[in-house]
Amino acid sequence: MTSVVPGATRNTRQRAQVLGLLEATDGFRSAQQLHASLRDGGAQVGLTTVYRTLQLLADAGEVDQMRLPDGEQLYRRCGGSRHHHHLVCRECGRAIEVEGPAVERWAQAQAVAHGFVDVDHTIEIVGTCADCAAR
Amino acid sequence: MTSVVPGATRNTRQRAQVLGLLEATDGFRSAQQLHASLRDGGAQVGLTTVYRTLQLLADAGEVDQMRLPDGEQLYRRCGGSRHHHHLVCRECGRAIEVEGPAVERWAQAQAVAHGFVDVDHTIEIVGTCADCAAR
DNA sequence: AGCGCTACTGATAACGATTGTCAACTCCGA
DNA sequence: TCGGAGTTGACAATCGTTATCAGTAGCGCT
């Protein structure tokens, strides 16, 4: 599997460009933002393709997803495959990966204590980063 | 302020019915589900009003909100005003309120350590409850 | 290099949840 | 009881996302 996008069988210019932009971006971005950036950068990629590629990448675990309070979906390329959560700036989308083994255990323990199975959790810390706060 | 819905100046039948249904419901429900339940129960309430009332209640902190992975917004009446999170069944919406002071501190500490201010967090534990798993 | 299969692309339409509009209605104080 | 201002609700509009489907282009094969 030497494909740019795991799960895909072909490597296309469009997929390489979407992934390339994600690699060059430090922060969560929406599909629409990514599409606009690609267009501004001269790349010829359809919005539909951006959505599809992001979905593929998300399914493959290559990008992390989160939702803004208004429901918009955001994506970000995350290096390691280790389980982690994010500290995200609500202004600029900048994200810092954080780990909290104790928190994971707490969540799991709570679920088990109430008889829940097939447990998952959503943990996100949002705030305003130092740069945006200073502005 | 003896209004049924804090923030409102008048008490209407519709608002009382929406709040009444929430009181009688143990679990997160979408606006559309609540609207359908009201209609099924014979209550004459418009969908727009359900949305507006839920928004009012949410702003007043009278109901908690959460989002499904598909982006749909869910609401639930929560008794105490203490800060808490939820253990939610992905099948039936049943929710159990959980508290984790240590987790709160961890989230806050992570944010402060990276210079973030005006910090908030989202913590939800989702799984399948014993009843739904047995079914 | 050329061929052909089929995965992929992208303009457009469709979709579903939510919000805006605005005339009609009704709660509530005077 | 009266009147006006907060509310209501059918409908239209919005917005992010997904489905369609004819055309395009990777890539294995010869």
PDB file of all heavy atoms in Angstrom, chain B residues 10-11 31-32 47-48 51-52 55 72-73, chain C residues 16-22 25-28:
ATOM      1  N   ARG B  10     -43.283  36.034  29.144  1.00  0.00           N
ATOM      2  CA  ARG B  10     -44.647  35.510  29.214  1.00  0.00           C
ATOM      3  C   ARG B  10     -44.659  34.007  29.341  1.00  0.00           C
ATOM      4  O   ARG B  10     -43.770  33.331  28.841  1.00  0.00           O
ATOM      5  CB  ARG B  10     -45.426  35.884  27.950  1.00  0.00           C
ATOM      6  CG  ARG B  10     -45.911  37.285  27.923  1.00  0.00           C
ATOM      7  CD  ARG B  10     -46.751  37.519  26.702  1.00  0.00           C
ATOM      8  NE  ARG B  10     -46.906  38.944  26.489  1.00  0.00           N
ATOM      9  CZ  ARG B  10     -47.408  39.489  25.398  1.00  0.00           C
ATOM     10  NH1 ARG B  10     -47.810  38.709  24.423  1.00  0.00           N
ATOM     11  NH2 ARG B  10     -47.527  40.785  25.279  1.00  0.00           N
ATOM     12  N   ASN B  11     -45.697  33.510  29.974  1.00  0.00           N
ATOM     13  CA  ASN B  11     -45.838  32.069  30.087  1.00  0.00           C
ATOM     14  C   ASN B  11     -46.903  31.626  29.107  1.00  0.00           C
ATOM     15  O   ASN B  11     -48.032  32.083  29.158  1.00  0.00           O
ATOM     16  CB  ASN B  11     -46.286  31.697  31.502  1.00  0.00           C
ATOM     17  CG  ASN B  11     -45.247  32.088  32.523  1.00  0.00           C
ATOM     18  OD1 ASN B  11     -44.060  31.922  32.278  1.00  0.00           O
ATOM     19  ND2 ASN B  11     -45.679  32.641  33.646  1.00  0.00           N
ATOM     20  N   ALA B  31     -34.606  18.188  18.764  1.00  0.00           N
ATOM     21  CA  ALA B  31     -35.749  19.093  18.666  1.00  0.00           C
ATOM     22  C   ALA B  31     -36.863  18.431  17.859  1.00  0.00           C
ATOM     23  O   ALA B  31     -38.045  18.541  18.201  1.00  0.00           O
ATOM     24  CB  ALA B  31     -35.317  20.403  18.001  1.00  0.00           C
ATOM     25  N   GLN B  32     -36.462  17.736  16.820  1.00  0.00           N
ATOM     26  CA  GLN B  32     -37.455  17.093  15.969  1.00  0.00           C
ATOM     27  C   GLN B  32     -38.172  15.961  16.714  1.00  0.00           C
ATOM     28  O   GLN B  32     -39.384  15.784  16.569  1.00  0.00           O
ATOM     29  CB  GLN B  32     -36.773  16.526  14.712  1.00  0.00           C
ATOM     30  CG  GLN B  32     -35.828  17.497  14.064  1.00  0.00           C
ATOM     31  CD  GLN B  32     -36.351  18.080  12.767  1.00  0.00           C
ATOM     32  OE1 GLN B  32     -37.497  17.860  12.379  1.00  0.00           O
ATOM     33  NE2 GLN B  32     -35.514  18.852  12.097  1.00  0.00           N
ATOM     34  N   LEU B  47     -42.946  23.514  15.149  1.00  0.00           N
ATOM     35  CA  LEU B  47     -41.548  23.122  15.211  1.00  0.00           C
ATOM     36  C   LEU B  47     -40.661  24.330  15.540  1.00  0.00           C
ATOM     37  O   LEU B  47     -39.732  24.242  16.336  1.00  0.00           O
ATOM     38  CB  LEU B  47     -41.124  22.520  13.866  1.00  0.00           C
ATOM     39  CG  LEU B  47     -39.668  22.074  13.734  1.00  0.00           C
ATOM     40  CD1 LEU B  47     -39.318  21.047  14.797  1.00  0.00           C
ATOM     41  CD2 LEU B  47     -39.425  21.493  12.349  1.00  0.00           C
ATOM     42  N   THR B  48     -40.973  25.453  14.933  1.00  0.00           N
ATOM     43  CA  THR B  48     -40.197  26.661  15.183  1.00  0.00           C
ATOM     44  C   THR B  48     -40.204  27.023  16.659  1.00  0.00           C
ATOM     45  O   THR B  48     -39.173  27.391  17.223  1.00  0.00           O
ATOM     46  CB  THR B  48     -40.768  27.848  14.375  1.00  0.00           C
ATOM     47  OG1 THR B  48     -40.845  27.489  12.998  1.00  0.00           O
ATOM     48  CG2 THR B  48     -39.884  29.067  14.538  1.00  0.00           C
ATOM     49  N   TYR B  51     -37.878  24.785  18.674  1.00  0.00           N
ATOM     50  CA  TYR B  51     -36.491  25.221  18.541  1.00  0.00           C
ATOM     51  C   TYR B  51     -36.221  26.456  19.389  1.00  0.00           C
ATOM     52  O   TYR B  51     -35.214  26.551  20.082  1.00  0.00           O
ATOM     53  CB  TYR B  51     -36.179  25.543  17.069  1.00  0.00           C
ATOM     54  CG  TYR B  51     -35.709  24.342  16.275  1.00  0.00           C
ATOM     55  CD1 TYR B  51     -36.538  23.734  15.345  1.00  0.00           C
ATOM     56  CD2 TYR B  51     -34.437  23.820  16.471  1.00  0.00           C
ATOM     57  CE1 TYR B  51     -36.116  22.635  14.612  1.00  0.00           C
ATOM     58  CE2 TYR B  51     -34.007  22.720  15.747  1.00  0.00           C
ATOM     59  CZ  TYR B  51     -34.844  22.123  14.815  1.00  0.00           C
ATOM     60  OH  TYR B  51     -34.419  21.043  14.113  1.00  0.00           O
ATOM     61  N   ARG B  52     -37.140  27.420  19.299  1.00  0.00           N
ATOM     62  CA  ARG B  52     -36.934  28.673  20.038  1.00  0.00           C
ATOM     63  C   ARG B  52     -36.930  28.446  21.542  1.00  0.00           C
ATOM     64  O   ARG B  52     -36.100  29.004  22.268  1.00  0.00           O
ATOM     65  CB  ARG B  52     -38.021  29.673  19.660  1.00  0.00           C
ATOM     66  CG  ARG B  52     -37.561  30.665  18.614  1.00  0.00           C
ATOM     67  CD  ARG B  52     -38.589  31.759  18.441  1.00  0.00           C
ATOM     68  NE  ARG B  52     -39.921  31.211  18.222  1.00  0.00           N
ATOM     69  CZ  ARG B  52     -40.684  31.507  17.166  1.00  0.00           C
ATOM     70  NH1 ARG B  52     -40.236  32.321  16.244  1.00  0.00           N
ATOM     71  NH2 ARG B  52     -41.867  30.983  17.028  1.00  0.00           N
ATOM     72  N   GLN B  55     -33.762  26.826  22.670  1.00  0.00           N
ATOM     73  CA  GLN B  55     -32.668  27.783  22.652  1.00  0.00           C
ATOM     74  C   GLN B  55     -32.702  28.653  23.898  1.00  0.00           C
ATOM     75  O   GLN B  55     -31.678  28.914  24.527  1.00  0.00           O
ATOM     76  CB  GLN B  55     -32.762  28.657  21.390  1.00  0.00           C
ATOM     77  CG  GLN B  55     -31.479  29.383  21.063  1.00  0.00           C
ATOM     78  CD  GLN B  55     -30.310  28.416  20.969  1.00  0.00           C
ATOM     79  OE1 GLN B  55     -30.301  27.538  20.125  1.00  0.00           O
ATOM     80  NE2 GLN B  55     -29.328  28.540  21.856  1.00  0.00           N
ATOM     81  N   GLU B  72     -26.336  16.269  14.733  1.00  0.00           N
ATOM     82  CA  GLU B  72     -27.647  16.650  15.241  1.00  0.00           C
ATOM     83  C   GLU B  72     -27.547  17.060  16.701  1.00  0.00           C
ATOM     84  O   GLU B  72     -26.859  16.425  17.497  1.00  0.00           O
ATOM     85  CB  GLU B  72     -28.620  15.477  15.092  1.00  0.00           C
ATOM     86  CG  GLU B  72     -30.057  15.884  15.250  1.00  0.00           C
ATOM     87  CD  GLU B  72     -31.000  14.730  14.896  1.00  0.00           C
ATOM     88  OE1 GLU B  72     -30.511  13.608  14.690  1.00  0.00           O
ATOM     89  OE2 GLU B  72     -32.210  14.964  14.840  1.00  0.00           O
ATOM     90  N   GLN B  73     -28.261  18.139  17.038  1.00  0.00           N
ATOM     91  CA  GLN B  73     -28.212  18.657  18.393  1.00  0.00           C
ATOM     92  C   GLN B  73     -29.243  17.972  19.280  1.00  0.00           C
ATOM     93  O   GLN B  73     -30.385  17.791  18.877  1.00  0.00           O
ATOM     94  CB  GLN B  73     -28.485  20.161  18.356  1.00  0.00           C
ATOM     95  CG  GLN B  73     -28.342  20.864  19.667  1.00  0.00           C
ATOM     96  CD  GLN B  73     -26.987  21.494  19.836  1.00  0.00           C
ATOM     97  OE1 GLN B  73     -26.287  21.241  20.797  1.00  0.00           O
ATOM     98  NE2 GLN B  73     -26.588  22.310  18.899  1.00  0.00           N
TER      99      GLN B  73
ATOM    100  P    DG C  16     -33.801  13.853   3.835  1.00  0.00           P
ATOM    101  OP1  DG C  16     -33.933  12.390   3.999  1.00  0.00           O
ATOM    102  OP2  DG C  16     -34.960  14.673   3.436  1.00  0.00           O
ATOM    103  O5'  DG C  16     -33.236  14.458   5.193  1.00  0.00           O
ATOM    104  C5'  DG C  16     -31.871  14.286   5.549  1.00  0.00           C
ATOM    105  C4'  DG C  16     -31.525  15.298   6.613  1.00  0.00           C
ATOM    106  O4'  DG C  16     -31.110  16.541   5.979  1.00  0.00           O
ATOM    107  C3'  DG C  16     -32.699  15.659   7.526  1.00  0.00           C
ATOM    108  O3'  DG C  16     -32.219  15.753   8.847  1.00  0.00           O
ATOM    109  C2'  DG C  16     -33.168  16.997   6.995  1.00  0.00           C
ATOM    110  C1'  DG C  16     -31.859  17.614   6.515  1.00  0.00           C
ATOM    111  N9   DG C  16     -32.021  18.616   5.472  1.00  0.00           N
ATOM    112  C8   DG C  16     -32.987  18.648   4.506  1.00  0.00           C
ATOM    113  N7   DG C  16     -32.869  19.682   3.706  1.00  0.00           N
ATOM    114  C5   DG C  16     -31.764  20.358   4.176  1.00  0.00           C
ATOM    115  C6   DG C  16     -31.142  21.543   3.712  1.00  0.00           C
ATOM    116  O6   DG C  16     -31.469  22.252   2.761  1.00  0.00           O
ATOM    117  N1   DG C  16     -30.036  21.882   4.487  1.00  0.00           N
ATOM    118  C2   DG C  16     -29.580  21.171   5.560  1.00  0.00           C
ATOM    119  N2   DG C  16     -28.510  21.646   6.181  1.00  0.00           N
ATOM    120  N3   DG C  16     -30.149  20.060   6.002  1.00  0.00           N
ATOM    121  C4   DG C  16     -31.226  19.712   5.267  1.00  0.00           C
ATOM    122  P    DA C  17     -33.200  15.776  10.075  1.00  0.00           P
ATOM    123  OP1  DA C  17     -33.034  14.526  10.836  1.00  0.00           O
ATOM    124  OP2  DA C  17     -34.534  16.193   9.610  1.00  0.00           O
ATOM    125  O5'  DA C  17     -32.556  16.962  10.926  1.00  0.00           O
ATOM    126  C5'  DA C  17     -31.175  16.929  11.215  1.00  0.00           C
ATOM    127  C4'  DA C  17     -30.664  18.326  11.412  1.00  0.00           C
ATOM    128  O4'  DA C  17     -30.792  19.070  10.187  1.00  0.00           O
ATOM    129  C3'  DA C  17     -31.426  19.113  12.486  1.00  0.00           C
ATOM    130  O3'  DA C  17     -30.480  19.706  13.353  1.00  0.00           O
ATOM    131  C2'  DA C  17     -32.202  20.156  11.688  1.00  0.00           C
ATOM    132  C1'  DA C  17     -31.327  20.352  10.451  1.00  0.00           C
ATOM    133  N9   DA C  17     -32.057  20.777   9.256  1.00  0.00           N
ATOM    134  C8   DA C  17     -33.129  20.167   8.681  1.00  0.00           C
ATOM    135  N7   DA C  17     -33.576  20.765   7.607  1.00  0.00           N
ATOM    136  C5   DA C  17     -32.725  21.854   7.462  1.00  0.00           C
ATOM    137  C6   DA C  17     -32.653  22.892   6.511  1.00  0.00           C
ATOM    138  N6   DA C  17     -33.491  22.992   5.481  1.00  0.00           N
ATOM    139  N1   DA C  17     -31.684  23.816   6.664  1.00  0.00           N
ATOM    140  C2   DA C  17     -30.842  23.703   7.692  1.00  0.00           C
ATOM    141  N3   DA C  17     -30.795  22.781   8.644  1.00  0.00           N
ATOM    142  C4   DA C  17     -31.783  21.877   8.471  1.00  0.00           C
ATOM    143  P    DT C  18     -30.979  20.380  14.723  1.00  0.00           P
ATOM    144  OP1  DT C  18     -29.873  20.224  15.673  1.00  0.00           O
ATOM    145  OP2  DT C  18     -32.332  19.896  15.053  1.00  0.00           O
ATOM    146  O5'  DT C  18     -31.059  21.919  14.324  1.00  0.00           O
ATOM    147  C5'  DT C  18     -29.893  22.570  13.864  1.00  0.00           C
ATOM    148  C4'  DT C  18     -30.235  23.876  13.200  1.00  0.00           C
ATOM    149  O4'  DT C  18     -31.061  23.660  12.029  1.00  0.00           O
ATOM    150  C3'  DT C  18     -31.001  24.884  14.076  1.00  0.00           C
ATOM    151  O3'  DT C  18     -30.124  25.970  14.345  1.00  0.00           O
ATOM    152  C2'  DT C  18     -32.171  25.326  13.205  1.00  0.00           C
ATOM    153  C1'  DT C  18     -31.782  24.849  11.817  1.00  0.00           C
ATOM    154  N1   DT C  18     -32.898  24.535  10.892  1.00  0.00           N
ATOM    155  C2   DT C  18     -33.088  25.351   9.798  1.00  0.00           C
ATOM    156  O2   DT C  18     -32.396  26.326   9.572  1.00  0.00           O
ATOM    157  N3   DT C  18     -34.121  24.985   8.979  1.00  0.00           N
ATOM    158  C4   DT C  18     -34.974  23.909   9.130  1.00  0.00           C
ATOM    159  O4   DT C  18     -35.868  23.681   8.313  1.00  0.00           O
ATOM    160  C5   DT C  18     -34.729  23.097  10.308  1.00  0.00           C
ATOM    161  C7   DT C  18     -35.588  21.909  10.581  1.00  0.00           C
ATOM    162  C6   DT C  18     -33.708  23.446  11.123  1.00  0.00           C
ATOM    163  P    DT C  19     -30.615  27.160  15.269  1.00  0.00           P
ATOM    164  OP1  DT C  19     -29.429  27.651  15.980  1.00  0.00           O
ATOM    165  OP2  DT C  19     -31.813  26.745  15.999  1.00  0.00           O
ATOM    166  O5'  DT C  19     -31.045  28.283  14.209  1.00  0.00           O
ATOM    167  C5'  DT C  19     -30.114  28.675  13.213  1.00  0.00           C
ATOM    168  C4'  DT C  19     -30.758  29.680  12.277  1.00  0.00           C
ATOM    169  O4'  DT C  19     -31.756  29.042  11.455  1.00  0.00           O
ATOM    170  C3'  DT C  19     -31.448  30.855  12.981  1.00  0.00           C
ATOM    171  O3'  DT C  19     -31.048  32.042  12.321  1.00  0.00           O
ATOM    172  C2'  DT C  19     -32.926  30.562  12.780  1.00  0.00           C
ATOM    173  C1'  DT C  19     -32.922  29.843  11.451  1.00  0.00           C
ATOM    174  N1   DT C  19     -34.058  28.935  11.185  1.00  0.00           N
ATOM    175  C2   DT C  19     -34.760  29.078  10.005  1.00  0.00           C
ATOM    176  O2   DT C  19     -34.493  29.934   9.199  1.00  0.00           O
ATOM    177  N3   DT C  19     -35.769  28.175   9.819  1.00  0.00           N
ATOM    178  C4   DT C  19     -36.162  27.157  10.666  1.00  0.00           C
ATOM    179  O4   DT C  19     -37.079  26.410  10.378  1.00  0.00           O
ATOM    180  C5   DT C  19     -35.393  27.070  11.898  1.00  0.00           C
ATOM    181  C7   DT C  19     -35.734  26.012  12.885  1.00  0.00           C
ATOM    182  C6   DT C  19     -34.395  27.949  12.087  1.00  0.00           C
ATOM    183  P    DG C  20     -31.595  33.461  12.787  1.00  0.00           P
ATOM    184  OP1  DG C  20     -30.444  34.395  12.810  1.00  0.00           O
ATOM    185  OP2  DG C  20     -32.412  33.263  14.011  1.00  0.00           O
ATOM    186  O5'  DG C  20     -32.552  33.883  11.595  1.00  0.00           O
ATOM    187  C5'  DG C  20     -31.993  34.080  10.290  1.00  0.00           C
ATOM    188  C4'  DG C  20     -33.066  34.547   9.311  1.00  0.00           C
ATOM    189  O4'  DG C  20     -34.044  33.498   9.118  1.00  0.00           O
ATOM    190  C3'  DG C  20     -33.847  35.787   9.762  1.00  0.00           C
ATOM    191  O3'  DG C  20     -34.052  36.630   8.628  1.00  0.00           O
ATOM    192  C2'  DG C  20     -35.164  35.209  10.278  1.00  0.00           C
ATOM    193  C1'  DG C  20     -35.344  33.974   9.409  1.00  0.00           C
ATOM    194  N9   DG C  20     -36.066  32.874  10.040  1.00  0.00           N
ATOM    195  C8   DG C  20     -35.745  32.238  11.210  1.00  0.00           C
ATOM    196  N7   DG C  20     -36.551  31.254  11.500  1.00  0.00           N
ATOM    197  C5   DG C  20     -37.472  31.234  10.453  1.00  0.00           C
ATOM    198  C6   DG C  20     -38.583  30.391  10.218  1.00  0.00           C
ATOM    199  O6   DG C  20     -38.988  29.449  10.892  1.00  0.00           O
ATOM    200  N1   DG C  20     -39.249  30.739   9.042  1.00  0.00           N
ATOM    201  C2   DG C  20     -38.890  31.748   8.213  1.00  0.00           C
ATOM    202  N2   DG C  20     -39.657  31.934   7.140  1.00  0.00           N
ATOM    203  N3   DG C  20     -37.849  32.551   8.423  1.00  0.00           N
ATOM    204  C4   DG C  20     -37.183  32.235   9.557  1.00  0.00           C
ATOM    205  P    DT C  21     -34.833  38.009   8.801  1.00  0.00           P
ATOM    206  OP1  DT C  21     -34.279  38.913   7.791  1.00  0.00           O
ATOM    207  OP2  DT C  21     -34.844  38.404  10.234  1.00  0.00           O
ATOM    208  O5'  DT C  21     -36.318  37.608   8.386  1.00  0.00           O
ATOM    209  C5'  DT C  21     -36.532  36.900   7.183  1.00  0.00           C
ATOM    210  C4'  DT C  21     -38.008  36.885   6.806  1.00  0.00           C
ATOM    211  O4'  DT C  21     -38.658  35.716   7.398  1.00  0.00           O
ATOM    212  C3'  DT C  21     -38.806  38.100   7.284  1.00  0.00           C
ATOM    213  O3'  DT C  21     -39.707  38.478   6.247  1.00  0.00           O
ATOM    214  C2'  DT C  21     -39.570  37.583   8.488  1.00  0.00           C
ATOM    215  C1'  DT C  21     -39.815  36.126   8.098  1.00  0.00           C
ATOM    216  N1   DT C  21     -39.982  35.171   9.227  1.00  0.00           N
ATOM    217  C2   DT C  21     -40.998  34.240   9.138  1.00  0.00           C
ATOM    218  O2   DT C  21     -41.770  34.179   8.201  1.00  0.00           O
ATOM    219  N3   DT C  21     -41.050  33.363  10.203  1.00  0.00           N
ATOM    220  C4   DT C  21     -40.235  33.338  11.304  1.00  0.00           C
ATOM    221  O4   DT C  21     -40.394  32.489  12.176  1.00  0.00           O
ATOM    222  C5   DT C  21     -39.217  34.356  11.341  1.00  0.00           C
ATOM    223  C7   DT C  21     -38.278  34.424  12.503  1.00  0.00           C
ATOM    224  C6   DT C  21     -39.132  35.210  10.311  1.00  0.00           C
ATOM    225  P    DC C  22     -40.227  40.022   6.190  1.00  0.00           P
ATOM    226  OP1  DC C  22     -40.226  40.401   4.765  1.00  0.00           O
ATOM    227  OP2  DC C  22     -39.515  40.849   7.187  1.00  0.00           O
ATOM    228  O5'  DC C  22     -41.735  39.853   6.665  1.00  0.00           O
ATOM    229  C5'  DC C  22     -42.557  38.880   6.029  1.00  0.00           C
ATOM    230  C4'  DC C  22     -43.817  38.650   6.852  1.00  0.00           C
ATOM    231  O4'  DC C  22     -43.548  37.689   7.902  1.00  0.00           O
ATOM    232  C3'  DC C  22     -44.346  39.906   7.562  1.00  0.00           C
ATOM    233  O3'  DC C  22     -45.762  39.885   7.510  1.00  0.00           O
ATOM    234  C2'  DC C  22     -43.879  39.715   8.994  1.00  0.00           C
ATOM    235  C1'  DC C  22     -44.045  38.209   9.118  1.00  0.00           C
ATOM    236  N1   DC C  22     -43.288  37.594  10.238  1.00  0.00           N
ATOM    237  C2   DC C  22     -43.670  36.320  10.669  1.00  0.00           C
ATOM    238  O2   DC C  22     -44.598  35.751  10.109  1.00  0.00           O
ATOM    239  N3   DC C  22     -42.998  35.760  11.699  1.00  0.00           N
ATOM    240  C4   DC C  22     -41.987  36.420  12.282  1.00  0.00           C
ATOM    241  N4   DC C  22     -41.353  35.821  13.295  1.00  0.00           N
ATOM    242  C5   DC C  22     -41.588  37.726  11.847  1.00  0.00           C
ATOM    243  C6   DC C  22     -42.261  38.252  10.832  1.00  0.00           C
ATOM    244  P    DC C  25     -55.814  35.140  13.687  1.00  0.00           P
ATOM    245  OP1  DC C  25     -56.666  33.969  13.403  1.00  0.00           O
ATOM    246  OP2  DC C  25     -56.383  36.505  13.697  1.00  0.00           O
ATOM    247  O5'  DC C  25     -55.079  34.890  15.081  1.00  0.00           O
ATOM    248  C5'  DC C  25     -54.232  33.740  15.224  1.00  0.00           C
ATOM    249  C4'  DC C  25     -53.522  33.793  16.564  1.00  0.00           C
ATOM    250  O4'  DC C  25     -52.562  34.874  16.595  1.00  0.00           O
ATOM    251  C3'  DC C  25     -54.448  34.013  17.770  1.00  0.00           C
ATOM    252  O3'  DC C  25     -54.111  33.033  18.742  1.00  0.00           O
ATOM    253  C2'  DC C  25     -54.095  35.419  18.249  1.00  0.00           C
ATOM    254  C1'  DC C  25     -52.628  35.507  17.853  1.00  0.00           C
ATOM    255  N1   DC C  25     -52.065  36.878  17.691  1.00  0.00           N
ATOM    256  C2   DC C  25     -50.957  37.245  18.459  1.00  0.00           C
ATOM    257  O2   DC C  25     -50.487  36.446  19.262  1.00  0.00           O
ATOM    258  N3   DC C  25     -50.423  38.483  18.294  1.00  0.00           N
ATOM    259  C4   DC C  25     -50.948  39.324  17.408  1.00  0.00           C
ATOM    260  N4   DC C  25     -50.382  40.527  17.274  1.00  0.00           N
ATOM    261  C5   DC C  25     -52.094  38.973  16.624  1.00  0.00           C
ATOM    262  C6   DC C  25     -52.614  37.756  16.792  1.00  0.00           C
ATOM    263  P    DT C  26     -55.202  32.550  19.837  1.00  0.00           P
ATOM    264  OP1  DT C  26     -55.250  31.079  19.782  1.00  0.00           O
ATOM    265  OP2  DT C  26     -56.429  33.353  19.649  1.00  0.00           O
ATOM    266  O5'  DT C  26     -54.515  32.984  21.201  1.00  0.00           O
ATOM    267  C5'  DT C  26     -53.152  32.619  21.465  1.00  0.00           C
ATOM    268  C4'  DT C  26     -52.618  33.463  22.609  1.00  0.00           C
ATOM    269  O4'  DT C  26     -52.171  34.749  22.114  1.00  0.00           O
ATOM    270  C3'  DT C  26     -53.644  33.771  23.685  1.00  0.00           C
ATOM    271  O3'  DT C  26     -52.999  33.891  24.930  1.00  0.00           O
ATOM    272  C2'  DT C  26     -54.133  35.136  23.285  1.00  0.00           C
ATOM    273  C1'  DT C  26     -52.788  35.744  22.891  1.00  0.00           C
ATOM    274  N1   DT C  26     -52.857  36.977  22.113  1.00  0.00           N
ATOM    275  C2   DT C  26     -51.836  37.889  22.260  1.00  0.00           C
ATOM    276  O2   DT C  26     -50.896  37.714  22.981  1.00  0.00           O
ATOM    277  N3   DT C  26     -51.984  39.021  21.505  1.00  0.00           N
ATOM    278  C4   DT C  26     -53.028  39.337  20.644  1.00  0.00           C
ATOM    279  O4   DT C  26     -53.032  40.389  20.024  1.00  0.00           O
ATOM    280  C5   DT C  26     -54.057  38.338  20.543  1.00  0.00           C
ATOM    281  C7   DT C  26     -55.231  38.575  19.655  1.00  0.00           C
ATOM    282  C6   DT C  26     -53.932  37.220  21.280  1.00  0.00           C
ATOM    283  P    DC C  27     -53.028  32.600  25.935  1.00  0.00           P
ATOM    284  OP1  DC C  27     -52.359  31.470  25.284  1.00  0.00           O
ATOM    285  OP2  DC C  27     -54.401  32.450  26.457  1.00  0.00           O
ATOM    286  O5'  DC C  27     -52.105  33.132  27.155  1.00  0.00           O
ATOM    287  C5'  DC C  27     -50.699  33.187  26.976  1.00  0.00           C
ATOM    288  C4'  DC C  27     -50.140  34.511  27.473  1.00  0.00           C
ATOM    289  O4'  DC C  27     -50.569  35.595  26.622  1.00  0.00           O
ATOM    290  C3'  DC C  27     -50.543  34.899  28.899  1.00  0.00           C
ATOM    291  O3'  DC C  27     -49.348  35.206  29.600  1.00  0.00           O
ATOM    292  C2'  DC C  27     -51.419  36.140  28.719  1.00  0.00           C
ATOM    293  C1'  DC C  27     -50.877  36.720  27.433  1.00  0.00           C
ATOM    294  N1   DC C  27     -51.826  37.555  26.649  1.00  0.00           N
ATOM    295  C2   DC C  27     -51.441  38.855  26.227  1.00  0.00           C
ATOM    296  O2   DC C  27     -50.343  39.299  26.565  1.00  0.00           O
ATOM    297  N3   DC C  27     -52.292  39.588  25.484  1.00  0.00           N
ATOM    298  C4   DC C  27     -53.486  39.091  25.145  1.00  0.00           C
ATOM    299  N4   DC C  27     -54.283  39.852  24.376  1.00  0.00           N
ATOM    300  C5   DC C  27     -53.901  37.787  25.560  1.00  0.00           C
ATOM    301  C6   DC C  27     -53.057  37.063  26.312  1.00  0.00           C
ATOM    302  P    DC C  28     -49.378  35.225  31.204  1.00  0.00           P
ATOM    303  OP1  DC C  28     -48.023  34.847  31.663  1.00  0.00           O
ATOM    304  OP2  DC C  28     -50.551  34.487  31.692  1.00  0.00           O
ATOM    305  O5'  DC C  28     -49.584  36.779  31.501  1.00  0.00           O
ATOM    306  C5'  DC C  28     -48.646  37.712  30.982  1.00  0.00           C
ATOM    307  C4'  DC C  28     -49.115  39.126  31.255  1.00  0.00           C
ATOM    308  O4'  DC C  28     -50.087  39.528  30.251  1.00  0.00           O
ATOM    309  C3'  DC C  28     -49.790  39.324  32.614  1.00  0.00           C
ATOM    310  O3'  DC C  28     -49.383  40.569  33.133  1.00  0.00           O
ATOM    311  C2'  DC C  28     -51.264  39.357  32.253  1.00  0.00           C
ATOM    312  C1'  DC C  28     -51.198  40.094  30.932  1.00  0.00           C
ATOM    313  N1   DC C  28     -52.377  39.971  30.050  1.00  0.00           N
ATOM    314  C2   DC C  28     -52.636  40.983  29.113  1.00  0.00           C
ATOM    315  O2   DC C  28     -51.861  41.933  29.054  1.00  0.00           O
ATOM    316  N3   DC C  28     -53.727  40.878  28.321  1.00  0.00           N
ATOM    317  C4   DC C  28     -54.537  39.826  28.423  1.00  0.00           C
ATOM    318  N4   DC C  28     -55.594  39.768  27.604  1.00  0.00           N
ATOM    319  C5   DC C  28     -54.292  38.789  29.366  1.00  0.00           C
ATOM    320  C6   DC C  28     -53.214  38.898  30.160  1.00  0.00           C
TER     321       DC C  28
END
